Amino acid sequence: MLFKSLKLYSFGFALLILVAATTLAIFLVLNISFLYIFHLKIFHLELFKHYTSSTIHSTYKSIIYYLQSPFVNHMDVHPFSLSYQGNIHFRDVKRLILFNNSLMGLTILLFYRLYFKLYKRNQRWMIIESLRRINLIIYLFLVFCLADFKSAFIIFHKLFFSNNYWIFNLKNDSLIKILPIDFFAQSFLIIVLFILIVNHVFIRLGKIDLKK
């Protein structure tokens, strides 16, 4: 019974690390805007023939500011257009982002309180096996998504949104020009790599306790 309780606690704590790392990674990727500009200048240089770098950058910052502030109800996307349906989609995305940020704060706080209990007792080794299993699932998930990111992207939207407003019309939603799907693929990859690095760090820390 004690062994089962320890395994359950170990897996629960590993899941806590996963959620904290995931929400933190999403927050960081959203706010490190140079990753966005860097991606466009490497893979979509043609955009800068029609729009200045400052215009694209300021539009992106306006989007991120809107998505993360519960007190902002409008985003300035000029000179780009965004339809009524497009605005509804960004409103839905905003709800997910605000939930993500709230969950990030909660899980990091909870992690901080629980982790140092394990640290003081030299019991960080308990989470090694659970983190390894989670990493295996993440690697399989990564291979699946990168093999056909477009399909994974569609599945994600169908799971998290109750309408089809995420399907933009270039004529009415020219904002999509500066939000290419490969940028989301890059962001996804960075998020997953961040999670894997965090998990491997805690596995290494757990091994240190095994040697004591």
Side-chain angles (χ1 to χ4, degrees), residues 130-147:
S130 294
L131 285 176
R132 283 175 172 166
R133 290 178 181 177
I134 288 174
N135 278 353
L136 177 60
I137 294 171
I138 292 173
Y139 280 119
L140 293 173
F141 177 69
L142 180 62
V143 170
F144 167 76
C145 291
L146 292 184

Side-chain angles (χ1 to χ4, degrees), residues 1-207:
M1 182 66 71
L2 179 62
F3 178 71
K4 286 185 177 179
S5 297
L6 288 174
K7 284 191 71 174
L8 187 62
Y9 179 82
S10 166
F11 187 69
F13 195 84
L15 281 179
L16 178 64
I17 292 175
L18 174 64
V19 175
T22 302
T23 53
L24 177 59
I26 292 170
F27 176 80
L28 292 175
V29 166
L30 274 174
N31 286 280
I32 303 176
S33 59
F34 80 82
L35 291 174
Y36 168 74
I37 295 298
F38 174 78
H39 179 85
L40 293 189
K41 288 190 174 181
I42 295 296
F43 299 104
H44 297 277
L45 196 57
E46 72 280 358
L47 285 172
F48 298 95
K49 296 178 182 178
H50 306 284
Y51 309 101
T52 65
S53 179
S54 61
T55 296
I56 294 174
H57 197 191
S58 63
T59 303
Y60 180 76
K61 288 198 295 184
S62 178
I63 294 171
I64 300 307
Y65 183 60
Y66 166 77
L67 292 177
Q68 296 191 108
S69 175
F71 309 108
V72 176
N73 298 314
H74 173 74
M75 59 181 180
D76 181 14
V77 298
H78 181 77
F80 305 97
S81 61
L82 189 63
S83 65
Y84 173 74
Q85 291 82 359
N87 273 290
I88 292 177
H89 175 64
F90 273 95
R91 186 186 65 193
D92 293 340
V93 172
K94 181 185 181 81
R95 290 172 181 163
L96 289 177
I97 296 300
L98 290 176
F99 175 75
N100 177 84
N101 292 352
S102 298
L103 188 60
M104 176 186 69
L106 179 64
T107 52
I108 288 177
L109 179 62
L110 185 59
F111 164 79
Y112 178 82
R113 295 188 64 179
L114 295 177
Y115 179 76
F116 280 96
K117 288 183 180 180
L118 293 181
Y119 172 71
K120 290 176 181 178
R121 298 171 184 171
N122 294 324
Q123 292 180 330
R124 291 177 296 181
W125 56 268
M126 290 173 53
I127 60 176
I128 292 176
E129 192 59 36
S130 294
L131 285 176
R132 283 175 172 166
R133 290 178 181 177
I134 288 174
N135 278 353
L136 177 60
I137 294 171
I138 292 173
Y139 280 119
L140 293 173
F141 177 69
L142 180 62
V143 170
F144 167 76
C145 291
L146 292 184
D148 187 0
F149 183 78
K150 187 174 181 180
S151 294
F153 189 74
I154 292 171
I155 292 170
F156 169 84
H157 281 78
K158 287 185 176 181
L159 285 173
F160 284 93
F161 300 102
S162 60
N163 52 55
N164 290 326
Y165 294 162
W166 55 272
I167 303 175
F168 289 100
N169 183 323
L170 189 58
K171 182 179 178 181
N172 300 318
D173 302 291
S174 64
L175 182 64
I176 198 62
K177 290 180 182 178
I178 61 169
L179 295 172
I181 190 171
D182 52 2
F183 168 67
F184 292 101
Q186 171 192 274
S187 299
F188 166 76
L189 182 59
I190 293 172
I191 289 168
V192 173
L193 290 178
F194 180 88
I195 297 166
L196 289 171
I197 289 170
V198 168
N199 285 354
H200 281 296
V201 166
F202 285 110
I203 288 172
R204 292 290 296 273
L205 292 173
K207 289 180 179 179

